[in-house]
Amino acid sequence: MKPLTKLFTIIFAVGALHASAQTDKETTAKLLKEQNFVFNAVTAIPMADNALNQVLNQYPNSRNNLLNLSGSQYDVRVTKDSVVAYLPFYGRSFTPSYDPKDAGTKFKSKDFKYSAEKKKKNWVVTIEPNDIKDRQKLTFNITEKGYASLSVQNINRQPISFNGNIEEPKEKAAESKDKKKD
């Protein structure tokens, strides 16, 4: 029964995220090519681990290893000259930090590799920061409608995934609305 419940939870989450996608096909392509978008995390999916699952099942916003992040401000902001990540982390850390501010995937990078590749009906965007202390790789799978999944791989932690959507940065969105009015 548990696998069936997990399957329905994932299908429901994906369906809800598709309904809340923020962009259309042309806007998504433009944002990714211009390297200027915000990924808003809606759910976190930690790597399956019995000890972690026991802890997560005690949280009211967690179900079957899927943590609801809606209402939070977790995001990744990408521009041509910087990547700013502010995401939580749930899982095992192989090299724990003594600084509580280092919890999660939180960094600002000005030196990074960015690649965006168009597949049949989605984009694969890979970001690898070079100027942060932990070697990390962020891999986005983004649909034409703006729904996105993000996989974060860190050499010192278990991998973690996030579901959410992409959108234009708020400042840019306000400027384009003003231009349409003129």
Side-chain angles (χ1 to χ4, degrees):
M1 185 69 175
K2 269 200 171 219
L4 188 60
T5 305
K6 189 179 253 187
L7 176 66
F8 283 125
T9 302
I10 291 171
I11 290 171
F12 176 74
V14 169
L17 288 172
H18 274 290
S20 68
Q22 300 290 322
T23 63
D24 58 22
K25 186 177 180 178
E26 293 79 25
T27 305
T28 300
K30 184 182 96 173
L31 294 175
L32 299 178
K33 285 179 183 175
E34 290 179 357
Q35 206 170 315
N36 190 24
F37 64 91
V38 176
F39 167 77
N40 295 304
V42 177
T43 58
I45 308 164
M47 188 173 185
D49 179 288
N50 285 339
L52 178 64
N53 288 343
Q54 289 176 353
V55 172
L56 290 179
N57 287 333
Q58 295 175 8
Y59 286 93
N61 65 343
S62 169
R63 186 167 181 100
N64 295 328
N65 210 30
L66 189 70
L67 278 156
N68 182 3
L69 301 175
S70 57
S72 65
Q73 299 298 315
Y74 294 118
D75 62 14
V76 177
R77 298 180 175 281
V78 179
T79 63
K80 280 197 179 287
D81 61 347
S82 69
V83 175
V84 179
Y86 181 71
L87 297 169
F89 177 74
Y90 306 97
R92 239 177 225 174
S93 179
F94 305 119
T95 309
S97 172
Y98 294 107
D99 184 1
K101 293 178 186 175
D102 282 346
T105 302
K106 299 171 186 167
F107 65 83
K108 293 178 184 177
S109 176
K110 298 254 184 214
D111 178 20
F112 57 93
K113 292 181 201 170
Y114 177 92
S115 69
E117 183 182 350
K118 176 75 167 117
K119 301 287 184 180
K120 285 185 179 180
K121 292 195 175 210
N122 68 320
W123 289 82
V124 177
V125 175
T126 305
I127 299 173
E128 295 182 62
N130 298 318
D131 58 351
I132 60 174
K133 70 177 182 176
D134 288 345
R135 204 171 99 227
Q136 297 188 38
K137 181 177 181 180
L138 285 71
T139 305
F140 296 88
N141 284 302
I142 303 169
T143 68
E144 293 174 336
K145 298 283 186 183
Y147 166 75
S149 64
L150 166 62
S151 172
V152 178
Q153 298 165 345
N154 182 322
I155 62 168
N156 293 319
R157 296 179 178 166
Q158 284 181 320
I160 185 168
S161 297
F162 298 90
N163 289 329
N165 54 56
I166 65 162
E167 65 182 14
E168 284 186 84
K170 298 294 183 202
E171 307 82 45
K172 182 134 185 162
E175 287 174 15
S176 57
K177 285 180 185 176
D178 290 340
K179 286 181 183 177
K180 287 180 183 176
K181 289 180 183 177
D182 293 337

